[in-house]
Amino acid sequence: MKPRWAALAAAVIAGLSLCTAAPASAAPSAKPPVVKCTFTPTPENPAARPVLRPLPFAPTRGTIDVTFHYNYGPVTVRLNSGGAAPCAVANMASLVLQHFYDRSQCWRLSNSARLGVLQCGDIYEVEKGGPGYKFPDEVTGAETYERGTVAMGNQGPGTNGSEFFIVHSFAHIPANYSVLGKVVRGMEALDRMVADGIVPTDPNGPLDGAPKHPVKIRSVSFGW
């Protein structure tokens, strides 16, 4: 194994031990237990924080609980490795293990009839400050983005990195965004963020911009 992967391999193995295995009585899945992932360096957009790329494979079984400790309170997300986006799930687990999201800020909040999301994962500002690599979309075309959905944000096809969004109402958007999982605890924290208001910065409307009260991720941990 190349030294480049050695430290992260141990971390991924540790992280996978946090997965909740599918029940023994569940019907066999048509998916292989592991799929190949492609994480491509982006020298034109170098890493905002030093991280290793994830390993080039991802499990397709189980779930992983991740808790984002916001200044508004904890929000626990159940990442679904068995869904359509196992590589995106493995990527987020890798970034959590490497503390990429710790001490970061969520720069965008929207609350329109079309889009009600909190967008996080960019270190510098909206859509700037990723992990220094990208990976393909994992979508079926049947994705919906109801309240509590957690999905990858991007700047076009195949540009996934560290950016993600949490839907606090509903997102009437095309099925172009890889779904990671669902919020299982803490939606009231999102509701408080929305209630505090938005400073409009988007020309598309007054209900899209920066949170009026800064939303910060103090740390991220596995489990509850």
Side-chain angles (χ1 to χ4, degrees):
M1 180 177 293
K2 295 181 180 179
R4 187 180 178 285
W5 301 110
L8 188 54
V12 168
I13 291 169
L16 293 180
S17 69
L18 296 165
C19 294
T20 302
S25 59
S29 171
K31 287 185 181 180
V34 174
V35 294
K36 181 180 178 180
C37 303
T38 302
F39 299 100
T40 306
T42 54
E44 70 281 8
N45 291 309
R49 292 177 172 174
V51 289
L52 294 172
R53 277 180 285 155
L55 293 169
F57 58 83
T60 62
R61 303 285 191 274
T63 61
I64 307 172
D65 287 350
V66 170
T67 297
F68 290 86
H69 300 276
Y70 288 98
N71 55 325
Y72 277 82
V75 175
T76 301
V77 173
R78 183 154 293 157
L79 305 176
N80 182 16
S81 297
C87 294
V89 169
N91 173 69
M92 177 167 278
S94 171
L95 291 175
V96 170
L97 283 164
Q98 298 182 79
H99 303 286
F100 183 86
Y101 295 118
D102 291 5
R103 301 177 305 282
S104 65
Q105 189 161 333
C106 301
W107 304 102
R108 183 185 182 193
L109 181 64
S110 63
N111 190 29
S112 67
R114 184 187 76 88
L115 188 66
V117 305
L118 173 71
Q119 182 175 308
C120 307
D122 301 306
I123 301 303
Y124 301 138
E125 58 182 273
V126 175
E127 299 185 349
K128 291 186 180 180
Y133 59 81
K134 63 182 179 180
F135 61 96
D137 304 320
E138 297 169 282
V139 294
T140 65
E143 284 78 7
T144 58
Y145 306 94
E146 63 272 9
R147 176 174 165 87
T149 299
V150 183
M152 294 299 301
N154 61 50
Q155 290 84 59
T159 60
N160 301 285
S162 57
E163 183 183 296
F164 66 94
F165 62 86
I166 303 175
V167 182
H168 62 75
S169 57
F170 197 93
H172 298 277
I173 53 178
N176 296 335
Y177 304 91
S178 304
V179 173
L180 295 158
K182 297 278 188 181
V183 173
V184 293
R185 179 185 68 155
M187 282 305 297
E188 64 276 8
L190 275 291
D191 294 337
R192 290 195 297 272
M193 297 172 196
V194 176
D196 277 352
I198 297 169
V199 178
T201 58
D202 193 305
N204 293 325
L207 296 176
D208 195 330
K212 186 170 286 185
H213 185 278
V215 173
K216 298 181 179 181
I217 300 173
R218 292 171 172 163
S219 64
V220 189
S221 60
F222 289 102
W224 285 52

